Amino acid sequence: MTRTAADALVDQLASYGVTHIFGTCGHTNIALLDAIGRSDIDFVIARHEQTAAHAADGYARATGKPGVVLMHVGPGMMNAVTGVATAALDSVPLVAISGDIPSYLYGRHPHQEVNLHADADQTAIYRPFVKRAWHVQRAGDLPRFTERAFWTATSGRSGAVLLNVPMDIFNRDAPGGEYPLPISAAKPDLPEPDAKRIATALVEAERPLIYVGGGLRDNAALKELAEHLDIPVAHSLMAKGTLPDDHPLVMGMTGFWGLTETNEYARNADVVLAIATRFAETDSSSWDPEYTWRFPPSRLIQIDIDPAEIGRNYPVEIGAVADAALAVGRVLTAVRQMKPDGTGRAQLRASLKAARAELFAASAERGRSDQFPLRPERILADVRACLPSDAVLVTDVGWNKNGVAQCYPLPADGRFITPGGASTMGFGPAAALGVQLAQPERVVVALIGDGGMSAQLPALPMAVEQGLPVIFLVMNNRAHGTISDLQSSFFGRSYGCDFLDPDGNPYSPDFAALGRACGADGYTVAEPGDLTVALKSAVQRRRPAVIDVPMVNEPVPTPGHWNIKDIYQGKFDR
């Protein structure tokens, strides 16, 4: 009995453990949708491809499994670019499957073909950011390309891939043969001599620092290593929560949204062990040695699974291409052999604890303000007080991201998910859907601005349709607030950044009413005490909910340095 390539693909996806596919329909992919509809895989329909891609991204971050997004030809797959690129830049495993025009009509301008001034090749749109893009020429290639896509997305440094399939391929007869994924694959380990060299440098250092990026998921060995030698741990934005915020050796975030104390310590460290981090501009104060990192005189040891990251931004004394968790375990073993009793730095622990306590206390004090519209730190304080400890915060950009990273004491069993590499506005509302679908028992809050909510309105009906009790908390300052503040600081006014009605008055949709119109619960915060009431109700009711919170437009503190500020003042690097 013959079957189509679409049926064969669905069977292959199911064998790989795929249970959910996010996407939208189109004439180029409905043959695959029909096959999905006859399987145990759930198709999670979205009203926009960017929403689908962000939701698949959130699902992947929550589960550790690759997310799968299905797109239509041309405008469909182009709508998803931002979502797929966001996953790619944050090293999230995501398999994007796009339908395409019939394979025998290339270059003739069939309906929605991407072809105007160059060859008809829509995969070229994705090639700058995906790990690999496959264009299927024959039905016989589809199973092999699919196996390669899943392997590539999840091996080494995880990332996004594209599988582009002309619509006629889905309807052709399926070839025989199976393409299972490797049953097990050894990750690159750290050789013992290298582990000993790194251990020696850490033991002999007078002012060591461990700097962690978002690529380290397993933190048990990291915690033991830091505690054994009393080494402070700083982290990038993406790595918040790798160690609990209340750990006595955690220094917090570096860079232009980092803490003054953290940047100062990083700048004067004699040995820095950097694990799974790109040293991105945000975490490195635009690589200006006056603010965060100085290599040299600091000595850099860098561990990363991607060899391209070793030494990309700073000169490295010891570079190791290895799985981060395995490497940290090897270094810990070498350190214990070399220094069984550890190295006590009780004074350092005390000073770090005092600095962190002062940070959180000052933020909590500002969070007690009854000023209305609410100050952002008041919103964060109420959120922290009302949510269960294992709640997941999915943020966008602005105060909801950088404020949480700076001054929100994340519980040990909590989770913080944010768009790091692309810093994508609109990520939060849609990604929260994928997180909630993956972890239905947890409270998931999309902590977002009014700009981010406006960018992803399709997330609201999608939450209702899927029965996902995401809490969309809109920190509403009626502006693209961070950029409005930036423009006002350097140009004396804000133009094109604030939402205004025709008479020039601040304007905002009624997001609570919009939520109710979509079938969700809607809460309008009209006075300071309303937010806690709304939060407690939303947590208890376990329904999709929108909480519209008026917020004063207040800049996020930037203790570090950002090169764009020099540019605004007419200063340029030459």
Side-chain angles (χ1 to χ4, degrees):
M1 184 175 181
T2 61
R3 57 177 181 166
T4 66
D7 287 314
L9 176 57
V10 170
D11 289 344
Q12 189 174 5
L13 295 176
S15 74
Y16 292 171
V18 174
T19 58
H20 295 83
I21 296 175
F22 301 81
T24 56
C25 62
H27 69 267
T28 61
N29 66 25
I30 55 175
L32 182 59
L33 281 175
D34 177 68
I36 294 171
R38 290 181 275 105
S39 74
D40 292 331
I41 297 176
D42 289 331
F43 181 68
V44 184
I45 186 172
R47 281 172 164 75
H48 193 277
E49 290 83 1
Q50 184 177 342
T51 309
H54 285 321
D57 180 347
Y59 181 86
R61 296 187 200 222
T63 62
K65 302 191 303 181
V68 181
V69 59
L70 176 62
M71 308 165 297
H72 171 55
V73 70
M77 64 99 69
M78 287 190 284
N79 277 343
V81 162
T82 301
V84 178
T86 298
L89 292 172
D90 284 348
S91 303
V92 175
L94 190 145
V95 177
I97 303 173
S98 60
D100 202 349
I101 62 163
S103 60
Y104 45 83
L105 292 179
Y106 273 95
R108 299 183 64 183
H109 293 293
H111 185 54
Q112 295 184 309
E113 180 185 39
V114 179
N115 174 27
L116 189 60
H117 303 298
D119 294 336
D121 181 12
Q122 66 179 17
T123 62
I125 299 167
Y126 276 56
R127 285 200 172 96
F129 53 84
V130 296
K131 292 183 71 176
R132 179 78 188 269
W134 287 268
H135 177 76
V136 180
Q137 306 270 6
R138 304 177 305 132
D141 291 332
L142 182 56
R144 180 168 57 91
F145 287 178
T146 301
E147 185 272 332
R148 288 292 83 194
F150 274 80
W151 170 250
T152 303
T154 55
S155 61
R157 178 178 177 175
S158 300
V161 297
L162 174 67
L163 188 63
N164 191 67
V165 188
M167 61 179 293
D168 58 297
I169 298 293
F170 285 132
N171 289 279
R172 294 181 184 270
D173 290 342
E178 296 183 355
Y179 291 84
L181 289 171
I183 296 174
S184 64
K187 297 178 180 179
D189 207 343
L190 183 67
E192 185 176 345
D194 295 323
K196 289 182 177 178
R197 290 176 62 205
I198 295 172
T200 300
L202 292 176
V203 167
E204 294 178 351
E206 294 183 4
R207 192 179 169 88
L209 175 67
I210 296 174
Y211 179 60
V212 185
L216 182 62
R217 300 288 184 258
D218 185 349
N219 60 32
L222 172 68
K223 180 174 178 289
E224 289 185 47
L225 176 62
E227 291 175 348
H228 191 71
L229 294 180
D230 271 330
I231 301 178
V233 178
H235 60 76
S236 69
L237 169 74
M238 295 291 295
K240 182 180 175 71
T242 302
L243 288 182
D245 274 331
D246 61 359
H247 192 283
L249 290 170
V250 170
M251 298 197 74
M253 190 167 60
T254 62
F256 54 74
W257 285 311
L259 307 178
T260 300
E261 295 83 359
T262 309
N263 282 329
E264 180 182 1
Y265 191 98
R267 192 167 59 250
N268 295 295
D270 58 348
V271 174
V272 177
L273 172 59
I275 307 166
T277 177
R278 297 184 298 129
F279 282 107
E281 182 188 17
T282 52
D283 306 313
S284 306
S285 295
S286 294
W287 307 288
D288 189 320
E290 296 299 315
Y291 292 90
T292 301
W293 305 107
R294 291 193 298 181
F295 301 111
S298 299
R299 300 160 57 199
L300 175 59
I301 303 167
Q302 189 172 4
I303 299 172
D304 203 287
I305 201 167
D306 185 352
E309 295 300 342
I310 304 294
R312 179 194 291 272
N313 284 311
Y314 293 112
V316 173
E317 182 174 304
I318 302 175
V321 178
D323 176 81
L326 291 176
V328 173
R330 297 296 186 193
V331 173
L332 173 63
T333 299
V335 164
R336 287 193 180 279
Q337 293 171 349
M338 196 174 301
K339 198 87 173 176
D341 297 328
T343 302
R345 294 186 178 93
Q347 185 176 1
L348 174 62
R349 284 198 182 207
S351 63
L352 287 180
K353 183 178 181 181
R356 295 284 281 175
E358 181 180 352
L359 163 73
F360 290 128
S363 179
E365 181 61 34
R366 291 188 293 272
R368 280 188 274 271
S369 170
D370 279 337
Q371 176 182 340
F372 196 83
L374 295 178
R375 297 188 69 180
E377 284 170 301
R378 168 62 186 269
I379 296 174
L380 297 184
D382 286 357
V383 168
R384 179 66 177 81
C386 294
L387 295 186
S389 63
D390 67 343
V392 184
L393 293 182
V394 187
T395 74
D396 235 56
V397 292
W399 250 106
N400 48 82
K401 178 180 78 170
N402 304 314
V404 169
Q406 281 183 348
C407 59
Y408 186 97
L410 188 70
D413 53 348
R415 182 83 189 270
F416 170 62
I417 294 177
T418 194
S423 200
T424 305
M425 186 174 67
F427 170 86
L433 301 175
V435 173
Q436 187 73 85
L437 193 64
Q439 299 180 331
E441 74 287 351
R442 297 178 76 167
V443 171
V444 177
V445 176
L447 191 63
I448 50 184
D450 50 315
M453 187 71 258
S454 299
Q456 277 300 324
L457 294 178
L460 296 180
M462 187 172 170
V464 174
E465 288 169 342
Q466 299 296 325
L468 300 173
V470 171
I471 300 172
F472 301 91
L473 196 155
V474 184
M475 302 170 73
N476 191 347
N477 55 16
R478 301 185 178 191
H480 294 307
T482 299
I483 307 305
S484 179
D485 289 329
L486 196 62
Q487 189 185 44
S488 296
S489 297
F490 290 96
F491 297 94
R493 66 169 183 159
S494 173
Y495 177 79
C497 305
D498 304 319
F499 303 128
L500 307 171
D501 67 15
D503 295 324
N505 301 310
Y507 165 78
S508 174
D510 185 338
F511 289 107
L514 184 60
R516 289 191 292 270
C518 292
D521 294 340
Y523 303 85
T524 300
V525 174
E527 57 184 49
D530 288 351
L531 178 54
T532 57
V533 174
L535 278 167
K536 290 177 180 177
S537 175
V539 169
Q540 190 271 330
R541 284 174 59 81
R542 298 296 289 160
R543 280 180 39 78
V546 180
I547 304 177
D548 193 341
V549 189
M551 184 184 81
V552 64
N553 200 10
E554 189 171 291
V556 183
T558 53
H561 169 70
W562 197 357
N563 174 256
I564 64 169
K565 296 181 179 180
D566 284 347
I567 294 173
Y568 295 144
Q569 294 172 328
K571 303 174 185 177
F572 307 99
D573 290 335
R574 300 185 187 279

